[in-house]
Amino acid sequence: MSTSKPAVLALEDGSVFRGAAFGADATIAGECVFNTSMTGYQEILTDPSYFGQIVTMTAPQIGNYGINAEDEEAAAPKCSGFVVREVSPVVSNWRSTMSLDAYLKKYGIPGISEVDTRALTKKLRVDGAMKSCLSTLPLSDEEAVRRARAWSDMAGSDYVKDVSCTEPFIWRGDDASRYNAQYLPVGTTGGTTHTPARKFKVAAFDFGAKYTIYRKLVRHGFEVHVFPAKTTAAQIRAHGVDGVFLSNGPGDPAALPYIHQTVTALLPEFPIFGICLGHQMITHALGGTTFKLKFGHRGGNQPVKNLETGKVSITAQNHGFATDPKSLEKSGAIVTEINLNDQTVEGLRHKELPVFSVQYHPEAAPGPNDADPLFEDFYKLVEKRKAGRI
């Protein structure tokens, strides 16, 4: 990979970062954000929640273990652009099938390296996530800034329609192409999950779901029926499901009234588990509100405290909006978890209905597995409802 070709990253405040181009030859605009994960760049690139965003990695070197088909969280990268300090000149891993540079070229995603990502991250922390332009083509600083400022704001945007599936389908755990087999390093038993013999049929709304979410649901005893975001409550009822799962996804949660209405209708009828955008959909369905965070939570090292148990978990997160806790006071829900960095809402449950949600990503792709028991909690909740105990 040549590092002599120039690239530019411009922010709406007029800041310009010059660096070396890699990936595709393209000029794009989007919201510039940063991710603090030390590894897992392929899962980050293919996370549909990054649709419309230019992702900056704070880890200093990216690309050292290449790309492989098993670690993809979607069929193709979903972010708009990629910013790193250094692209590893060597790809060394037995699972790798191509380099990061070749992967981004294949899918038309531009990248910029040799950028002071510490300075960029500090700017985004102090001033907030910004509209930006990334170009690996000849482009003046002035034009790059102009294109950054011309990009539409993330607030008010419905990006779910761009990443949701178009037709319902069943996520088959026995389909090798779905990579449902757990990966275990030789000689270890880490990450093993006991799959219950009894299966429950769950309707999983695809707002931009990551593949590992479906994998985890399958491993924890669910037959996963995936539905597009615009599926109605009546269509869900017609499928005779035992529970409802609400996935992660991109964009502004307040800009999705059609989903709010569907979830509102389903709340009294099914056990419901929501994560990330799904958590925010439950917030709105209960009459609550959300707001845009200054720079969001993105990374595999976010500390969360459960207010009911006192337990602290390290979680994987990717979101730019959060629930307003005051808006939940008359909703019948209570806040169950908070972020220990900024005390924002990380979880809620309804006082009477079998409904709960978390703001983070319990599927941990990439990230720690502290929150894996939440899938077991959802299974037990469905089991109790089927037995008539709730």
Side-chain angles (χ1 to χ4, degrees):
M1 181 186 71
S2 172
T3 59
S4 61
K5 185 178 177 181
V8 61
L9 173 70
L11 307 181
E12 62 179 297
D13 71 349
S15 301
V16 175
F17 294 82
R18 282 282 175 180
F22 72 104
D25 295 331
T27 298
I28 55 89
E31 182 182 55
C32 192
V33 300
F34 62 88
N35 186 296
T36 57
S37 293
M38 297 296 290
T39 186
Y41 53 83
Q42 184 176 350
E43 293 94 326
I44 291 165
L45 287 166
T46 53
D47 181 351
S49 292
Y50 281 116
F51 187 89
Q53 294 178 320
I54 296 170
V55 182
T56 301
M57 298 298 296
T58 60
Q61 187 184 75
I62 301 297
N64 58 308
Y65 55 84
I67 298 291
N68 68 80
E70 290 85 354
D71 289 345
E72 290 188 335
E73 292 299 327
K78 298 300 181 181
C79 65
S80 297
F82 206 41
V83 183
V84 302
R85 176 67 185 91
E86 178 187 13
V87 178
S88 176
V90 177
V91 174
S92 179
N93 187 276
W94 65 273
R95 300 170 74 223
S96 176
T97 56
M98 71 173 69
S99 69
L100 173 60
D101 178 53
Y103 184 67
L104 294 184
K105 277 187 171 72
K106 177 180 178 180
Y107 291 104
I109 308 293
I112 181 171
S113 66
E114 307 305 320
V115 168
D116 186 346
T117 51
R118 293 175 299 176
L120 176 57
T121 298
K122 185 173 182 179
K123 174 173 283 293
L124 297 176
R125 278 185 59 87
V126 172
D127 299 328
M130 295 189 202
K131 295 188 289 184
S132 59
C133 171
L134 192 164
S135 180
T136 53
L137 298 171
L139 195 69
S140 68
D141 293 356
E142 295 75 17
E143 177 62 13
V145 171
R146 187 195 69 77
R147 294 195 184 197
R149 291 171 176 167
W151 186 73
S152 59
D153 285 318
M154 179 68 68
S157 299
D158 175 5
Y159 289 152
V160 169
K161 60 179 172 45
D162 297 303
V163 296
S164 179
C165 62
T166 56
E167 297 292 336
F169 66 92
I170 299 175
W171 183 275
R172 296 188 59 83
D174 57 356
D175 183 349
S177 68
R178 298 296 191 186
Y179 303 108
N180 277 294
Q182 297 181 77
Y183 171 69
L184 301 175
V186 175
T188 74
T189 57
T192 55
T193 299
H194 171 69
T195 302
R198 185 183 185 187
K199 304 292 185 187
F200 292 119
K201 186 176 179 181
V202 65
F205 275 86
D206 176 16
F207 303 144
K210 299 164 75 175
Y211 286 170
T212 301
I213 293 171
Y214 300 146
R215 297 169 187 150
K216 286 289 182 80
L217 286 168
V218 168
R219 291 172 193 164
H220 285 86
F222 293 100
E223 180 184 302
V224 181
H225 293 247
V226 183
F227 293 89
K230 292 188 176 181
T231 302
T232 65
Q235 290 172 317
I236 295 298
R237 295 187 196 104
H239 275 78
V241 298
D242 302 313
V244 173
F245 178 83
L246 308 175
S247 83
N248 64 294
D252 185 350
L256 306 166
Y258 59 97
I259 301 177
H260 305 166
Q261 294 168 9
T262 298
V263 177
T264 299
L266 294 174
L267 282 174
E269 302 180 37
F270 299 96
I272 299 179
F273 176 28
I275 71 166
C276 201
L277 186 68
H279 160 81
Q280 296 161 355
M281 294 301 94
I282 290 176
T283 295
H284 281 278
L286 291 171
T289 58
T290 52
F291 64 96
K292 196 174 192 301
L293 293 166
K294 187 175 183 179
F295 50 83
H297 302 154
R298 298 176 181 88
N301 45 16
Q302 293 283 329
V304 168
K305 181 177 181 178
N306 188 305
L307 300 176
E308 297 181 308
T309 66
K311 179 183 176 182
V312 174
S313 300
I314 304 302
T315 66
Q317 301 198 13
N318 174 16
H319 65 104
F321 294 80
T323 293
D324 179 358
K326 292 184 179 180
S327 72
L328 294 176
E329 291 177 355
K330 297 180 180 180
S331 67
I334 61 172
V335 174
T336 56
E337 299 179 73
I338 61 168
N339 189 293
L340 289 179
N341 287 333
D342 60 12
Q343 284 69 58
T344 51
V345 176
E346 292 285 1
L348 64 83
R349 67 174 176 83
H350 198 276
K351 296 176 183 177
E352 300 175 359
L353 301 173
V355 174
F356 75 107
S357 61
V358 294
Q359 181 60 78
Y360 46 89
H361 282 233
E363 92 292 337
N369 287 290
D370 293 25
D372 196 66
L374 290 174
F375 291 98
E376 297 175 18
D377 293 342
F378 183 42
Y379 182 91
K380 292 175 182 176
L381 203 63
V382 175
E383 189 175 43
K384 287 181 179 179
R385 170 57 71 89
K386 293 292 287 183
R389 298 201 301 271
I390 56 173

Coordinates of all heavy atoms in Angstrom, one line a residue, residues 274-324:
G274 N -34.9 -4.6 24.4 CA -34.3 -3.6 23.5 C -32.9 -3.3 23.8 O -32.5 -3.2 25.0
I275 N -32.1 -3.1 22.8 CA -30.7 -2.6 23.0 C -30.4 -1.4 22.1 O -30.9 -1.3 21.0 CB -29.7 -3.8 22.8 CG1 -29.6 -4.1 21.3 CG2 -30.0 -5.0 23.5 CD1 -28.3 -4.9 20.9
C276 N -29.6 -0.5 22.6 CA -29.2 0.7 21.9 C -30.4 1.5 21.3 O -31.2 2.0 22.1 CB -28.2 0.3 20.9 SG -27.1 1.6 20.3
L277 N -30.5 1.5 20.0 CA -31.7 2.2 19.4 C -33.0 1.5 19.9 O -34.0 2.2 20.1 CB -31.6 2.2 17.9 CG -32.7 3.0 17.2 CD1 -32.5 4.5 17.4 CD2 -32.7 2.7 15.7
G278 N -33.0 0.2 20.1 CA -34.2 -0.5 20.6 C -34.6 0.1 22.0 O -35.7 0.2 22.3
H279 N -33.5 0.3 22.8 CA -33.8 1.0 24.1 C -34.4 2.3 24.0 O -35.4 2.7 24.7 CB -32.4 1.1 24.9 CG -32.4 2.1 26.0 ND1 -32.9 1.8 27.2 CD2 -31.9 3.4 26.0 CE1 -32.7 2.9 28.0 NE2 -32.1 3.8 27.3
Q280 N -34.0 3.1 23.0 CA -34.5 4.4 22.8 C -35.9 4.3 22.2 O -36.8 5.2 22.4 CB -33.6 5.2 21.8 CG -32.2 5.5 22.4 CD -31.1 5.8 21.4 OE1 -31.4 5.7 20.2 NE2 -29.9 6.1 21.9
M281 N -36.2 3.3 21.4 CA -37.6 3.1 20.9 C -38.5 2.8 22.0 O -39.7 3.3 22.0 CB -37.6 2.0 19.9 CG -36.8 2.2 18.6 SD -37.4 3.7 17.7 CE -36.3 5.0 18.3
I282 N -38.1 2.0 23.0 CA -38.9 1.8 24.2 C -39.2 3.1 25.0 O -40.3 3.4 25.4 CB -38.3 0.7 25.1 CG1 -38.4 -0.7 24.4 CG2 -39.0 0.6 26.4 CD1 -37.7 -1.8 25.1
T283 N -38.1 3.9 25.1 CA -38.2 5.2 25.7 C -39.3 6.0 25.1 O -40.2 6.5 25.8 CB -36.9 5.9 25.6 OG1 -35.9 5.2 26.4 CG2 -37.0 7.4 26.2
H284 N -39.3 6.1 23.8 CA -40.3 6.9 23.1 C -41.7 6.3 23.2 O -42.7 7.0 23.3 CB -39.9 7.2 21.6 CG -38.9 8.2 21.5 ND1 -39.2 9.6 21.4 CD2 -37.5 8.2 21.4 CE1 -38.1 10.3 21.3 NE2 -37.0 9.4 21.2
A285 N -41.7 5.0 23.1 CA -43.0 4.3 23.1 C -43.7 4.5 24.5 O -44.9 4.5 24.6 CB -42.8 2.8 22.9
L286 N -42.9 4.7 25.5 CA -43.5 4.9 26.9 C -43.8 6.4 27.1 O -44.2 6.7 28.2 CB -42.5 4.4 27.9 CG -42.2 2.9 28.0 CD1 -41.1 2.6 28.9 CD2 -43.5 2.2 28.5
G287 N -43.6 7.2 26.1 CA -43.8 8.6 26.3 C -42.7 9.4 26.7 O -42.8 10.6 26.9
G288 N -41.5 8.8 26.7 CA -40.3 9.5 27.1 C -39.6 10.2 25.9 O -40.1 10.2 24.8
T289 N -38.5 10.9 26.2 CA -37.8 11.6 25.1 C -36.3 11.3 25.1 O -35.8 10.7 26.1 CB -37.9 13.1 25.3 OG1 -37.4 13.5 26.6 CG2 -39.4 13.5 25.1
T290 N -35.6 11.6 24.0 CA -34.2 11.4 23.9 C -33.5 12.7 23.5 O -34.2 13.6 23.0 CB -33.8 10.3 22.9 OG1 -34.5 10.6 21.6 CG2 -34.3 8.9 23.4
F291 N -32.2 12.8 23.8 CA -31.5 14.0 23.4 C -30.1 13.6 22.8 O -29.6 12.5 23.1 CB -31.3 14.9 24.6 CG -30.4 14.3 25.7 CD1 -29.1 14.6 25.8 CD2 -31.0 13.4 26.7 CE1 -28.3 14.0 26.8 CE2 -30.3 12.9 27.7 CZ -28.9 13.2 27.8
K292 N -29.5 14.5 22.1 CA -28.2 14.2 21.5 C -27.0 14.5 22.4 O -27.0 15.5 23.1 CB -28.0 15.0 20.2 CG -26.9 14.5 19.3 CD -26.8 15.3 18.0 CE -25.9 14.6 17.0 NZ -24.5 14.5 17.4
L293 N -26.2 13.5 22.6 CA -25.0 13.6 23.4 C -24.0 14.5 22.7 O -23.9 14.6 21.5 CB -24.4 12.3 23.8 CG -25.3 11.3 24.7 CD1 -24.7 9.9 24.6 CD2 -25.3 11.8 26.1
K294 N -23.1 15.1 23.5 CA -22.1 15.9 22.9 C -21.2 15.2 22.0 O -20.9 15.6 20.8 CB -21.2 16.6 24.1 CG -20.2 17.6 23.6 CD -19.6 18.3 24.8 CE -18.6 19.4 24.3 NZ -17.9 20.0 25.5
F295 N -20.6 14.0 22.4 CA -19.8 13.3 21.5 C -20.1 11.8 21.6 O -19.4 11.0 20.9 CB -18.3 13.5 21.8 CG -17.9 13.3 23.3 CD1 -17.7 12.1 23.8 CD2 -17.8 14.5 24.1 CE1 -17.4 11.9 25.2 CE2 -17.5 14.3 25.5 CZ -17.3 13.1 26.0
G296 N -21.1 11.4 22.3 CA -21.6 10.0 22.3 C -20.7 9.0 23.1 O -19.6 9.4 23.6
H297 N -21.1 7.8 23.1 CA -20.3 6.7 23.7 C -20.0 5.7 22.6 O -20.9 5.0 22.1 CB -21.1 6.0 24.8 CG -21.6 6.9 25.9 ND1 -22.7 6.6 26.7 CD2 -21.1 8.1 26.4 CE1 -22.9 7.6 27.6 NE2 -21.9 8.5 27.4
R298 N -18.7 5.5 22.3 CA -18.4 4.5 21.3 C -17.1 3.8 21.7 O -16.0 4.5 21.7 CB -18.2 5.2 19.9 CG -19.5 5.9 19.4 CD -19.4 6.6 18.1 NE -20.6 7.2 17.8 CZ -21.1 8.4 18.2 NH1 -20.3 9.2 18.9 NH2 -22.2 8.9 17.8
G299 N -17.2 2.6 22.0 CA -16.0 1.8 22.4 C -16.4 0.6 23.2 O -17.5 0.5 23.6
G300 N -15.4 -0.2 23.5 CA -15.6 -1.5 24.3 C -15.2 -1.3 25.7 O -14.9 -2.4 26.4
N301 N -15.2 -0.1 26.3 CA -14.7 0.1 27.6 C -15.5 1.0 28.5 O -15.0 1.8 29.3 CB -13.3 0.6 27.6 CG -13.1 1.7 26.5 OD1 -14.1 2.3 26.1 ND2 -11.8 2.0 26.2
Q302 N -16.9 1.0 28.3 CA -17.7 1.9 29.0 C -18.3 1.3 30.3 O -18.9 0.3 30.3 CB -18.9 2.3 28.1 CG -18.6 3.1 26.9 CD -18.3 4.6 27.2 OE1 -18.9 5.1 28.1 NE2 -17.5 5.2 26.4
P303 N -18.0 1.9 31.5 CA -18.4 1.4 32.7 C -19.9 1.7 33.0 O -20.3 2.9 32.9 CB -17.5 2.1 33.7 CG -17.2 3.4 33.1 CD -17.2 3.2 31.6
V304 N -20.7 0.7 33.4 CA -22.1 0.9 33.7 C -22.4 0.3 35.0 O -22.0 -0.8 35.3 CB -22.9 0.2 32.6 CG1 -24.4 0.1 33.0 CG2 -22.8 1.0 31.2
K305 N -23.2 1.0 35.8 CA -23.6 0.5 37.1 C -25.0 0.2 37.2 O -25.9 1.0 36.8 CB -23.3 1.5 38.2 CG -23.6 1.1 39.6 CD -23.3 2.1 40.7 CE -23.6 1.6 42.1 NZ -23.2 2.5 43.2
N306 N -25.3 -1.0 37.7 CA -26.7 -1.4 37.8 C -27.2 -0.9 39.2 O -26.6 -1.3 40.3 CB -26.9 -3.0 37.8 CG -28.3 -3.4 37.8 OD1 -29.1 -3.1 38.7 ND2 -28.6 -4.3 36.8
L307 N -28.2 0.0 39.2 CA -28.6 0.6 40.4 C -29.4 -0.3 41.3 O -29.6 0.0 42.5 CB -29.5 1.8 40.1 CG -28.9 2.9 39.2 CD1 -29.9 4.0 38.9 CD2 -27.7 3.5 39.9
E308 N -29.9 -1.4 40.8 CA -30.6 -2.4 41.6 C -29.8 -3.4 42.3 O -30.1 -3.9 43.4 CB -31.7 -3.1 40.7 CG -32.7 -2.1 40.1 CD -33.8 -2.8 39.3 OE1 -33.4 -3.6 38.4 OE2 -35.0 -2.6 39.5
T309 N -28.6 -3.7 41.7 CA -27.8 -4.8 42.3 C -26.4 -4.2 42.7 O -25.7 -4.8 43.5 CB -27.4 -5.9 41.2 OG1 -26.7 -5.3 40.1 CG2 -28.7 -6.5 40.7
G310 N -26.1 -3.0 42.3 CA -24.8 -2.4 42.6 C -23.6 -2.9 41.8 O -22.5 -2.5 41.9
K311 N -23.9 -3.9 40.8 CA -22.9 -4.4 40.0 C -22.4 -3.5 38.9 O -23.2 -2.7 38.3 CB -23.4 -5.7 39.3 CG -22.4 -6.4 38.4 CD -23.0 -7.6 37.7 CE -22.0 -8.2 36.7 NZ -22.6 -9.4 36.0
V312 N -21.1 -3.4 38.7 CA -20.5 -2.6 37.6 C -20.1 -3.5 36.5 O -19.3 -4.5 36.8 CB -19.4 -1.7 38.2 CG1 -18.7 -1.0 37.0 CG2 -19.9 -0.8 39.2
S313 N -20.5 -3.2 35.3 CA -20.1 -4.0 34.1 C -19.3 -3.1 33.2 O -19.6 -1.9 33.1 CB -21.3 -4.6 33.4 OG -22.0 -5.4 34.2
I314 N -18.3 -3.6 32.4 CA -17.7 -2.9 31.4 C -18.4 -3.3 30.1 O -18.5 -4.5 29.8 CB -16.2 -3.3 31.3 CG1 -15.5 -3.0 32.6 CG2 -15.5 -2.5 30.1 CD1 -15.7 -1.5 33.1
T315 N -18.9 -2.3 29.3 CA -19.8 -2.6 28.2 C -19.2 -2.1 26.9 O -18.4 -1.2 26.9 CB -21.2 -2.0 28.5 OG1 -21.0 -0.6 28.5 CG2 -21.7 -2.5 29.8
A316 N -19.8 -2.6 25.8 CA -19.5 -2.1 24.4 C -20.7 -1.2 24.1 O -21.8 -1.5 24.3 CB -19.4 -3.3 23.5
Q317 N -20.3 0.0 23.5 CA -21.3 0.9 23.2 C -21.1 1.6 21.8 O -19.9 1.7 21.4 CB -21.4 2.0 24.3 CG -21.8 1.4 25.6 CD -22.3 2.4 26.6 OE1 -22.7 3.6 26.3 NE2 -22.4 2.1 27.9
N318 N -22.1 2.1 21.2 CA -22.1 2.9 20.0 C -23.4 3.6 19.9 O -24.3 3.2 19.2 CB -21.8 2.0 18.8 CG -21.9 2.8 17.5 OD1 -21.8 4.0 17.5 ND2 -22.1 2.1 16.4
H319 N -23.4 4.8 20.4 CA -24.6 5.7 20.3 C -24.3 7.1 20.5 O -23.4 7.5 21.3 CB -25.7 5.2 21.3 CG -25.4 5.4 22.7 ND1 -25.9 6.4 23.5 CD2 -24.5 4.7 23.5 CE1 -25.4 6.3 24.7 NE2 -24.6 5.3 24.8
G320 N -25.1 8.0 19.9 CA -24.9 9.4 20.0 C -26.1 10.1 20.7 O -26.1 11.3 20.8
F321 N -27.1 9.3 21.0 CA -28.3 9.9 21.7 C -28.5 9.1 23.0 O -28.1 8.0 23.1 CB -29.5 9.8 20.8 CG -29.4 10.6 19.5 CD1 -28.7 10.2 18.4 CD2 -30.1 11.8 19.5 CE1 -28.6 11.0 17.3 CE2 -30.0 12.6 18.3 CZ -29.3 12.2 17.2
A322 N -29.3 9.7 23.9 CA -29.5 9.1 25.2 C -30.9 9.4 25.7 O -31.6 10.4 25.2 CB -28.5 9.5 26.2
T323 N -31.4 8.6 26.6 CA -32.8 8.8 27.2 C -32.7 9.9 28.3 O -31.8 10.0 29.1 CB -33.2 7.5 27.9 OG1 -33.5 6.5 26.9 CG2 -34.5 7.7 28.7
D324 N -33.7 10.8 28.2 CA -33.9 11.8 29.3 C -34.6 11.1 30.5 O -35.7 10.8 30.4 CB -34.7 13.0 28.8 CG -35.0 14.1 29.8 OD1 -34.5 13.9 31.0 OD2 -35.6 15.1 29.5

